[in-house]
Amino acid sequence: MTVAASTRIELDDTDHRILALLQENSALTNQELAHLSHTSPATCLRRVRRLVETGVIARQVALLDASRIRPSLTAIVEITLDQQAEEHLSAFEMAAQAETAIQQCYRVSQGPDFVLIIEVVDMPAYHALAHRFFTGQKNVRNVRTFFSINRAKFDTRIALTPPASATD
């Protein structure tokens, strides 16, 4: 049973505790998670399964620090298309999703059509990507790239708002 992406899921305090803990460390065992969230292991397991099935938990992954594995260059790229009809925007998004160096792709308003977060090994790798991907897209009018010189913050956690109490 999967729930449509636009469907909001009702979450209570227990769900919020579980989600906060999993956002910090998704490698916790069910026993550890149950203990830390003040639930029984059976309740905790049932809750986590529900959160996965409803799409609240989209994926559980390991976040790697690229700079500890190999050289790393992060580029923030603004893309403006010649034609902004829905089929052109969707075609660009599909192409971006297929490109492994593009880690994030946002369709934005007021300015460029897209903002991309790209991670490559070095400047020659970025140049090859730009030549292959941006010039290969016939509909790309303008590319504006910013290179990260320091990442002051990177977080994947979503701020959780506790549910309103019944007395509100």
Side-chain angles (χ1 to χ4, degrees):
M1 167 191 104
T2 22
V3 177
S6 62
T7 304
R8 287 229 159 91
I9 307 301
E10 291 295 322
L11 301 175
D12 63 15
D13 288 335
T14 301
D15 293 323
H16 280 99
R17 281 194 308 273
I18 290 170
L19 289 170
L21 290 162
L22 287 174
Q23 285 189 106
E24 277 299 313
N25 181 2
S26 69
L28 291 170
T29 66
N30 185 61
Q31 296 288 348
E32 293 166 328
L33 186 59
H35 174 72
L36 293 170
S37 64
H38 310 292
T39 63
S40 72
T43 296
C44 186
L45 186 60
R46 188 179 71 252
R47 295 284 187 124
V48 170
R49 282 187 180 149
R50 177 180 153 265
L51 293 167
V52 169
E53 289 170 357
T54 58
V56 172
I57 297 175
R59 294 187 296 169
Q60 293 177 320
V61 299
L63 299 176
L64 307 181
D65 183 347
S67 68
R68 293 188 176 266
I69 300 168
R70 59 173 169 68
S72 178
L73 177 66
T74 302
I76 298 96
V77 182
E78 296 178 350
I79 302 291
T80 303
L81 302 181
D82 270 332
Q83 300 175 359
Q84 286 84 18
E86 180 60 35
E87 63 268 14
H88 297 291
L89 296 168
S90 293
F92 184 86
E93 286 175 339
M94 287 176 37
Q97 290 170 6
E99 178 58 54
T100 58
I102 299 174
Q103 293 185 319
Q104 299 173 52
C105 175
Y106 299 94
R107 191 186 297 190
V108 296
S109 63
Q110 300 299 318
D113 297 308
F114 293 95
V115 173
L116 309 176
I117 307 299
I118 296 174
E119 194 277 318
V120 291
V121 176
D122 54 19
M123 191 58 75
Y126 174 78
H127 183 265
L129 170 73
H131 182 70
R132 179 183 74 253
F133 187 76
F134 303 137
T135 59
Q137 301 288 323
K138 303 294 184 220
N139 195 29
V140 173
R141 177 178 5 136
N142 189 39
V143 177
R144 186 173 173 197
T145 304
F146 305 89
F147 294 99
S148 172
I149 57 172
N150 180 49
R151 182 170 76 182
K153 181 178 181 178
F154 175 79
D155 200 345
T156 60
R157 290 177 293 186
I158 294 173
L160 297 170
T161 306
S165 70
T167 60
D168 286 348

